[in-house]
């Protein structure tokens, strides 16, 4: 074999090796809300197994676009998959498992130095965030006469965020129905930075990001559907009183990806080892039987979603577990 042939063979071998190494990486993307949970699980998994996991943040909607094109193995989602995303997956032959992994208390927040805030009702929040408020509701006293005549500056997730979808459905009554004149980002850290610098700011984000930044932010209690003032915390999520802003968060696993041993190991690790990590990053773990139920879903090949491609709010942990998946 001449020198050129040996070089060519070496390059081909290196290419195949690189391809094999790349194939062994577990690719995850999606929700910034779910990111702290999956990243914590991925870190522990990599220490234990030496497998490689990448976790990106492009928002729930952005993550589903990648997932349904077959670019990722797992998608983090802070709301259920929607019909248009299911259609994209179907077009590309992507079948999937829907696995709830935790509950989140979607949190309304203001600057730490806000000294006039009071509990807000859903109607207060709707008055602020509905499309009709754009360019019109610009001061705090327009929300309530008990608030000062101070400029109202808003911060929240962008349109590719599952948090945006859930909040607009729960508060305005229709997913993605929102005013557009606010500082928007799929990255919750950007929302935190904005609110931490703005004493007149108001926004919303996942509970873990509030807890991580309690020195900069103040959580706003909300009035639930029974007229009770409730704060975002684990107890109120578990007893169902933190409504309508309590929600399940998910991972979606590609059926074809699950055939890869490393993905199988990761998902099994997630279901069996994540509960203490979920508490550590300040979300609410599901009951142990819920993770066992997820493992049964995988074993029995129950593909699809229990939500039928529709946005839903106010679902309790028990109600979630009683549903059957459908493609």
């Amino acid at each position: 074999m001449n020198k050129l042939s040996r070089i060519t063979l070496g390059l081909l071998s290196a290419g195949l090796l690189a391809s094999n190494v790349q194939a062994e990486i577990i690719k995850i993307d999606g929700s910034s809300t779910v990111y702290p949970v999956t990243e914590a699980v991925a870190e522990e998994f990599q220490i234990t197994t030496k497998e490689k996991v990448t976790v990106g943040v492009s928002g729930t909607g952005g993550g589903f676009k990648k997932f349904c094109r077959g670019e990722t193995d797992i998608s983090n989602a802070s709301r259920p998959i929607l019909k248009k995303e299911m259609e994209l997956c179907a077009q590309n032959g992507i079948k999937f498992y829907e696995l709830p992994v935790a509950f989140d208390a979607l949190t309304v927040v203001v600057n730490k130095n806000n000294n006039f805030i009071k509990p807000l009702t859903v109607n207060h929040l709707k008055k602020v965030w509905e499309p009709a408020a754009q360019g019109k509701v610009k001061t705090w006293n327009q929300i309530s006469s008990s608030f000062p005549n101070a400029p109202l500056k808003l911060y929240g997730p962008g349109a590719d965020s599952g948090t945006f979808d859930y909040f607009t459905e729960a508060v305005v009554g229709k997913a993605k129905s929102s005013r557009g004149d606010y500082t928007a980002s799929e990255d919750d850290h950007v929302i935190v930075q904005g609110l931490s610098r703005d004493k007149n700011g108001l926004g919303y984000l996942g509970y873990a990001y509030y807890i991580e930044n309690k020195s900069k932010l103040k959580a706003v209690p909300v009035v639930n559907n029974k007229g009770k003032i409730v704060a975002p915390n684990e107890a109120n999520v578990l007893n169902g009183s933190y409504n309508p802003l309590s929600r399940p968060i998910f991972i979606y696993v590609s059926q074809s990806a699950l055939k890869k041993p490393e993905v199988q190991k990761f998902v099994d690790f997630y279901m069996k080892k994540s509960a203490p990590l979920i508490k550590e990053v300040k979300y609410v773990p599901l009951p142990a039987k819920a993770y066992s139920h997820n493992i049964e879903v995988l074993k029995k090949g129950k593909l699809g979603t229990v939500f039928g491609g529709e946005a839903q709010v106010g679902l309790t942990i028990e109600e979630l577990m009683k549903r059957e998946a459908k493609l």
Side-chain angles (χ1 to χ4, degrees):
M1 184 184 293
N2 61 35
K3 184 177 180 180
L4 182 59
S5 296
R6 285 197 299 273
I7 291 171
T8 302
L9 183 59
L11 289 171
L12 285 170
S13 298
L16 287 170
L17 181 60
S19 175
N20 286 338
V21 169
Q22 184 68 18
E24 292 172 2
I25 297 174
I26 301 165
K27 298 176 184 176
I28 307 171
D29 207 318
S31 166
S32 63
T33 301
V34 187
Y35 173 85
V37 176
T38 298
E39 178 67 8
V41 174
E43 286 179 1
E44 287 297 317
F45 177 76
Q46 289 176 112
I47 292 169
T48 305
T49 66
K50 309 302 181 186
E51 302 281 1
K52 300 296 182 185
V53 185
T54 62
V55 187
V57 179
S58 56
T60 296
F64 275 134
K65 287 172 187 173
K66 293 180 180 181
F67 181 74
C68 293
R69 291 195 297 254
E71 297 171 12
T72 55
D73 302 308
I74 295 169
S75 203
N76 291 330
S78 61
R79 50 109 174 125
I81 192 168
L82 301 176
K83 282 183 180 177
K84 65 178 182 179
E85 294 157 344
M86 294 170 69
E87 290 166 1
L88 178 60
C89 275
Q91 288 168 16
N92 293 313
I94 304 295
K95 296 182 179 181
F96 56 83
Y97 296 97
E98 176 184 77
L99 306 177
V101 293
F103 258 71
D104 176 32
L106 201 159
T107 307
V108 179
V109 285
V110 293
N111 183 277
K112 183 71 174 179
N113 295 319
N114 182 314
N115 58 9
F116 60 79
I117 195 67
K118 296 177 182 178
L120 296 175
T121 66
V122 170
N123 282 338
H124 284 141
L125 294 170
K126 182 178 180 180
K127 185 186 291 187
V128 171
W129 288 99
E130 65 183 346
Q134 182 161 330
K136 295 178 181 177
V137 179
K138 299 188 289 185
T139 59
W140 276 93
N141 64 345
Q142 288 178 277
I143 304 174
S144 169
S145 59
S146 65
F147 295 148
N149 183 14
L152 174 66
K153 297 182 181 179
L154 300 174
Y155 301 82
D160 259 346
S161 165
T163 300
F164 171 81
D165 292 343
Y166 190 91
F167 183 86
T168 49
E169 179 74 29
V171 168
V172 181
K174 182 180 178 182
K176 296 189 180 296
S177 180
S178 173
R179 67 190 295 169
D181 55 341
Y182 69 97
T183 301
S185 176
E186 273 72 29
D187 185 346
D188 291 83
H189 291 105
V190 174
I191 300 169
V192 170
Q193 287 172 8
L195 284 164
S196 67
R197 296 170 183 161
D198 190 345
K199 67 178 182 179
N200 291 316
L202 173 71
Y204 63 95
L205 37 65
Y207 182 66
Y209 288 92
Y210 157 65
I211 290 294
E212 183 184 343
N213 295 280
K214 284 180 73 173
S215 63
K216 305 172 186 176
L217 305 177
K218 184 182 293 185
V220 182
V222 297
V223 180
N224 69 12
N225 58 15
K226 293 185 178 179
K228 181 181 178 182
I229 296 171
V230 287
N233 58 45
E234 181 176 346
N236 288 338
V237 169
L238 288 172
N239 66 29
S241 67
Y242 190 71
N243 60 63
L245 297 182
S246 174
R247 57 173 177 165
I249 58 176
F250 308 86
I251 61 170
Y252 285 76
V253 184
S254 163
Q255 182 190 37
S256 59
L258 197 64
K259 294 175 183 177
K260 297 188 286 189
E262 62 272 19
V263 176
Q264 284 184 20
K265 284 197 296 184
F266 177 76
V267 175
D268 188 65
F269 185 91
Y270 207 128
M271 294 305 109
K272 293 178 178 177
K273 305 289 186 181
S274 64
L277 299 172
I278 290 166
K279 286 183 75 73
E280 194 173 295
V281 296
K282 307 307 179 185
Y283 287 117
V284 181
L286 301 177
K289 61 182 179 181
Y291 298 107
S292 299
H293 179 265
N294 284 343
I295 292 170
E296 284 300 306
V297 164
L298 296 171
K299 284 182 179 177
K300 294 178 179 178
K302 293 184 177 181
L303 294 159
T305 172
V306 303
F307 294 90
E310 301 287 344
Q312 296 180 39
V313 300
L315 201 64
T316 67
I317 294 170
E318 291 298 323
E319 289 168 343
L320 180 64
M321 289 171 58
K322 290 175 183 177
R323 298 190 172 197
E324 288 294 323
K326 295 178 182 177
L327 277 173

